[in-house]
Amino acid sequence: MSLHRLLGFRVAVPDPDALGSFYDELGLTGDARSGWSGDAGGAVVRAETGSFRRLLDVEIGCSDESDLENVTARLEEGGAAVQRNGDVVTVTDPATRVRFAVALAEPEAAPTPRPLVVPNAPGATVRVDRRADAVFDGPRPPRRLGHLVIGSPDIDATRSLLVEGLGLRVSDEIPGIIAFLRCSRDHHNVAVVGAPVPMLQHYSWECDDVDHLGHAATAIYRNDPTRHTWGLGRHFAGSNFYWYLRDPAGSFVEFYSDLDQIDDDDAWERAGRTEFDLAHIANAWGPHMPPEFVAPDDTEALCAAWESLGP
């Protein structure tokens, strides 16, 4: 795959300092200008001041000059207004008004794995006469920013720009409702979901395992229980464990682990990608999807804010 990783995104929020304090609480490193990242580095989140919460930019890394040329050619063939500035190709999606950039970038460094924890199971005892090490763990920063989900009032147009134009691959989708797209071996790096107005629906931080996820999310929850949104559960699309909370700007923040990895497109299509329908859109197990996850509490305010901007 010529596209090889998510480099990050930029948001406008009414109070970047509050968002920064939240990221400090998560243990992320960086700042609004350089971007916040997990303890393994990788993709970053940047923030600036805006009158309402809004996703501004998404940046994706590619391998070489030919990739930039191919992206430019596909976008121009599709009638998009493309800009090329050195090693970066940019295009703005008319449906979401998000600026997408494809830039030359080094491959992401392979993370250093933590020791694999094998749990006790019926008939397969591996831990005897002692407690699990995980009960003594405390919260620690997530490893990296893994993906984001963009709400679009024209999901088909946004999907087309990202797939036919930029070259992201489709991992799973329910046409007209949600599309999970990848630019790396992760099951999804960008997903698009139908929404009445453009929004950053949620973004996700990868953890080592379900205990890391649980400790990190629990610390945020205990500091302010009103942040809790949805979880713990396991998704069907991507297979990952999840727990969603809410950041100070109103976007949902997911902690996840155990995401599907796709190295061979043909193998995924042949053996990995199974039927994905409305029965599985929420999860394989876990609590019901809360109504606010589909229609965030600030949707009416976002609609008014977008209307004030005009076309």
Side-chain angles (χ1 to χ4, degrees), residues 126-212:
V126 296
R127 187 186 71 254
V128 181
D129 301 328
R130 61 185 177 89
R131 298 188 198 279
D133 291 339
V135 304
F136 300 104
D137 288 341
R140 63 181 190 274
R143 296 297 295 265
R144 63 178 181 121
L145 175 69
H147 56 269
L148 71 155
V149 177
I150 303 170
S152 173
D154 189 342
I155 182 175
D156 292 336
T158 301
R159 177 199 181 282
S160 178
L161 180 78
L162 296 178
V163 175
E164 278 79 38
L166 298 189
L168 278 75
R169 312 283 181 90
V170 178
S171 298
D172 278 306
E173 69 178 326
I174 300 176
I177 296 176
I178 191 167
F180 293 91
L181 314 176
R182 67 186 186 275
C183 61
S184 73
R185 70 198 302 264
D186 287 356
H187 175 273
H188 55 283
N189 306 99
V190 178
V192 185
V193 64
V197 290
M199 68 176 72
L200 174 59
Q201 196 276 337
H202 80 260
Y203 56 106
S204 303
W205 296 93
E206 184 180 43
C207 298
D208 291 311
D209 52 35
V210 70
D211 284 302
H212 181 188

Side-chain angles (χ1 to χ4, degrees), residues 236-260:
F236 182 88
S239 303
N240 54 289
F241 295 108
Y242 67 84
W243 187 339
Y244 292 90
L245 298 106
R246 188 186 301 99
D247 75 17
S251 295
F252 300 120
V253 180
E254 178 189 19
F255 296 87
Y256 76 93
S257 66
D258 193 20
L259 185 72
D260 290 337

Side-chain angles (χ1 to χ4, degrees), residues 222-237:
R222 285 179 175 165
N223 286 344
D224 182 354
T226 65
R227 295 165 169 169
H228 171 72
T229 301
W230 184 27
L232 176 72
R234 187 189 273 274
H235 282 309
F236 182 88

Side-chain angles (χ1 to χ4, degrees), residues 45-61:
V45 177
R46 294 183 173 88
E48 63 181 52
T49 303
S51 58
F52 65 99
R53 70 177 180 97
R54 177 182 176 186
L55 178 63
L56 301 174
D57 303 317
V58 176
E59 190 171 14
I60 294 166

